[in-house]
Amino acid sequence: VPAVILLDAPPGTLAIALQPDHAAGSAQLARAWRRPSFLPRPMWDRLLAATARHDDGWKAVEDHPALSPDGKPLDFMNIPTAMHTAIWRRSVDLAADDPYIALLIAAHARYLYCNYNEGDTPEERAQAQALLDDLGKRMDAFITSMRQGAADEAAAVEPHHLEHARRLLSLFDALSLMLLGALPGDALSSTEEAAFEAQIAELQVLRHPEGATVKPWPFHGDHVTLTTRVLHLDKAAFTGPADWQAQLHRARESHINRRLTP
């Protein structure tokens, strides 16, 4: 993959999660969530699909890892902006068969770039702005298409409803990353409001070594267990893509389990 989610590992080794595995974890959280009342079941199912597919753009570049000059894989937050923007465009393209799924992925990408990925250099800022401009145009087209569709689709793209749906996708993404340790433990300390059933509330998420507590409790049941595949490699630097792929194919597999409770 072009970049990975780096986890704690002994010196000279790597423990990584791949982007599609993280997206699958995000979808686990989404499926356990209590459906917001403003989204009928068919639209909710499409939001669940958007959560599962939001990182599909990473899959198309598995044979082209991003390695630093010393041969270490770059984590997902440190790959070049040009590569990152191309991946987001590809993720939207791959979902374009369903305008609502593509719209939610585009809205999530725009949120991330407006808040976290503006770029450090003039060139990177220009690349980020180009992505934002492109996403805006594509979102307008998806919204226009859905307003001409069924009543449930037209209602789902009303600005208030669309923003709350986007917030949920972004929350599932961030919560999965936080539980893996790929985001700081306080990443969700001031999260945006989240919708579940008839409620809209600001969640308080407190991370601990085994998982996190969430208040108020928005999930079905009395707990949720997030299970994510982890790959363990016996070296931390690579001579190039072929070396990386060879080591990846020999990687040992395990799973991280993180428990969410009220």
Side-chain angles (χ1 to χ4, degrees):
V1 294
V4 297
I5 300 168
L6 298 174
L7 309 175
D8 289 337
T13 69
L14 283 180
I16 61 173
L18 305 183
Q19 293 290 147
D21 291 325
H22 144 65
S26 301
Q28 289 178 46
L29 298 174
R31 288 192 296 271
W33 194 266
R34 287 187 271 160
R35 175 177 60 86
S37 56
F38 71 85
L39 275 179
R41 171 57 64 178
M43 300 306 299
W44 176 243
D45 288 342
R46 291 161 78 177
L47 188 151
L48 299 183
T51 305
R53 296 176 62 181
H54 80 270
D55 276 340
D56 280 2
W58 297 84
K59 297 177 182 178
V61 282
E62 289 184 345
D63 295 326
H64 301 84
L67 301 176
S68 66
D70 59 1
K72 295 180 179 180
L74 298 176
D75 70 26
F76 71 104
M77 292 188 292
N78 292 302
I79 65 172
T81 299
M83 180 181 290
H84 203 255
T85 55
I87 288 168
W88 276 119
R89 286 189 173 92
R90 189 177 299 114
S91 291
V92 176
D93 288 343
L94 290 171
D97 57 308
D98 185 315
Y100 188 57
I101 293 175
L103 173 62
L104 290 175
I105 294 172
H108 173 58
R110 186 178 67 171
Y111 164 75
L112 293 177
Y113 265 82
C114 285
N115 291 276
Y116 304 107
N117 296 81
E118 67 277 5
D120 296 323
T121 68
E123 181 181 12
E124 289 174 331
R125 287 192 289 272
Q127 292 165 347
Q129 186 58 55
L131 175 66
L132 289 172
D133 293 343
D134 183 42
L135 291 174
K137 293 176 183 176
R138 301 200 66 183
M139 289 174 63
D140 287 344
F142 293 138
I143 290 170
T144 298
S145 172
M146 292 189 64
R147 282 177 175 162
Q148 297 170 352
D152 285 349
E153 292 187 320
V157 296
E158 288 299 316
H160 181 71
H161 290 166
L162 177 59
E163 176 59 11
H164 276 293
R166 193 283 305 162
R167 289 179 182 181
L168 286 176
L169 195 162
S170 298
L171 172 64
F172 301 141
D173 177 46
L175 187 53
S176 171
L177 289 170
M178 188 191 80
L179 291 170
L180 285 172
L183 289 179
D186 61 352
L188 297 177
S189 61
S190 58
T191 185
E192 296 173 314
E193 292 178 329
F196 55 98
E197 293 187 339
Q199 299 186 57
I200 296 176
E202 184 173 315
L203 300 186
Q204 298 176 8
V205 181
L206 181 61
R207 185 182 168 197
H208 54 75
E210 291 76 35
T213 60
V214 183
K215 180 182 178 181
W217 183 243
F219 296 101
H220 293 290
D222 59 4
H223 72 277
V224 175
T225 300
L226 174 68
T227 301
T228 307
R229 185 179 71 142
V230 177
L231 300 177
H232 302 269
L233 288 73
D234 291 329
K235 57 194 297 186
F238 308 88
T239 58
D243 185 24
W244 165 257
Q245 287 295 318
Q247 293 297 323
L248 193 64
H249 291 151
R250 291 197 291 268
R252 301 183 307 281
E253 184 175 315
S254 70
H255 291 83
I256 288 179
N257 294 302
R258 294 290 183 262
R259 185 180 175 94
L260 294 168
T261 56

